[in-house]
Amino acid sequence: MARIRFRCDPAPKRLVSLLHKARGLIGLTMKTRLCVIGSGPAGHTAAIYAARAELKPILFEGWMANDVGPGGQYTTAPPIENFPGFPDGILGRELIDRCRNQALRFGTQIFTETVTKVDFSASPFKVFTDLRTVIADAVVVATGALVKRLSFPGSGDGPKGFWKRGMSACAVCDGAAPIFRNKPLAVIGGGDSAMEEAIYLTKYGSKVYIIHRRDTFKASKIMQNRALSSPNIEVLWNSVVVEAYGEGERGVLGGLKVENVVSGEVSDLKVSGLFIAIGREPATKFLGGQLELDSDGYVVTKPGSTHTSVQGVFAAGEVQDKKYRQGITAAGTGCMAALDAEHYLQEIGSQEGKSD
Ligand code: NAP
């Protein structure tokens, strides 16, 4: 099956927005008993359960939200090998498509729009996109997390930086680009993502360096072993990148200054690609501080449930889970959120059409 690439420049986003505006759709207000924000395994599972409970949920799947297409992180992942039920693995994109179809089948209304802000100050709650406002008796927040970036000279998107001109946070999205073919490449990080990115990049690069700040990996043993047994991967332990520089007049990445944090020595590493894989941060900015967050920005939920600090607002998936962060655990909490929401809606006597 051909893979669909959703990552793209912001231009199409603006175009779609203009098209919608031109159609006079702006300012549309809709009412629902349950609004789900997010379209990864958590959001779709919440929608499937809610739809089967006849709550007729509305789900916002986002449009290039945080630079990733509808479906979130899974859409850029290599084949998923640990999601139960798929012994031969499944492409993340395909898994999400299946979840989406299942949510649609039971009556979920899906909008390919990004939620820009919410108003949780009073029930019913308000959920805003550029095109519409949804008034909802209950909300499930399932917006996941986005990749973290590093800051050092040459790491930015501006004229002096090499972001998207040799630097990336997604090997699956960008690794096949001609500028990386048969060139030395580097990955920063020591977790499963870094191992995965490095292994993937061996398909394209002449050699892949993993630059890790410590002398042991955080990654699972199976992923470590896969990376360490590859003849094309070399690990630079106890090392951090302190600068990225360009090559010739092309304005693309030419190499890195790498510091050994034990000896303090700075060495030169000629690479044409640098992939940052140092973990993720929760996508909670649009909440505008209206839900309690922990010190790392994750939504706080009542232990053993998906209840947040606002009654009637529930959180599922990675946006509230910094420990497990797996697709299958996200799906599990999505199910919990729908059941918690259904119970809440019964308690407040919410009925179809009653919030009109
Ligand atoms: P992670 O497990 O949090 O690992 C992040 C890595 O980046 C760590 O090694 C960390 O170093 C390093 N790091 C963090 N901040 C850094 C900085 N400022 N400078 C340099 N290095 C830095 O993140 P992840 O690898 O993205 O994985 C996230 C979750 O997804 C995990 O639960 C993982 O198991 C899961 N995942 C699973 C798979 C799979 O099963 N195939 C694939 C990808 C991800 P330290 O080690 O020093 O902390």
Side-chain angles (χ1 to χ4, degrees), residues 53-108:
E54 298 185 348
L55 296 179
K56 298 196 168 78
I58 285 177
L59 180 147
F60 285 112
E61 65 179 349
W63 172 248
M64 298 312 294
N66 304 308
D67 273 349
V68 185
Q73 300 172 66
Y74 257 17
T75 61
T76 61
I80 313 288
E81 293 177 343
N82 51 11
F83 204 99
F86 301 96
D88 301 321
I90 182 167
L91 290 176
R93 176 74 256 160
E94 193 185 340
L95 182 63
I96 291 298
D97 282 348
R98 286 175 177 232
C99 295
R100 188 181 192 276
N101 288 339
Q102 204 170 344
L104 285 170
R105 178 184 158 202
F106 293 108
T108 304

Side-chain angles (χ1 to χ4, degrees), residues 82 148 150 188-194 196 211-214 216-220 223 240 277-280 318 323-326:
N82 51 11
K148 279 191 202 160
L150 283 170
I188 301 180
D192 281 334
S193 298
E196 205 166 68
I211 303 171
H212 183 40
R213 64 183 177 182
R214 293 190 296 126
T216 50
F217 283 141
K218 184 178 175 185
S220 58
M223 296 299 285
V240 294
I278 60 164
R280 307 194 277 259
E318 194 171 339
K323 184 174 178 189
Y324 300 105
R325 300 189 290 190
Q326 304 298 309

Side-chain angles (χ1 to χ4, degrees), residues 12 16 43 64 76 99 145 155 194 249 262 312 347:
V16 166
M64 298 312 294
T76 61
C99 295
S155 66
E249 288 171 8
V262 177
E347 269 181 5

Side-chain angles (χ1 to χ4, degrees), residues 11 16 70 101 117-118 154 158 162 215 228 240 251 257 259 268 298:
V16 166
N101 288 339
K117 61 178 181 172
V118 291
F162 300 99
D215 62 358
L228 292 170
V240 294
K257 298 283 180 202
E259 181 182 337
D268 188 39
Y298 288 82

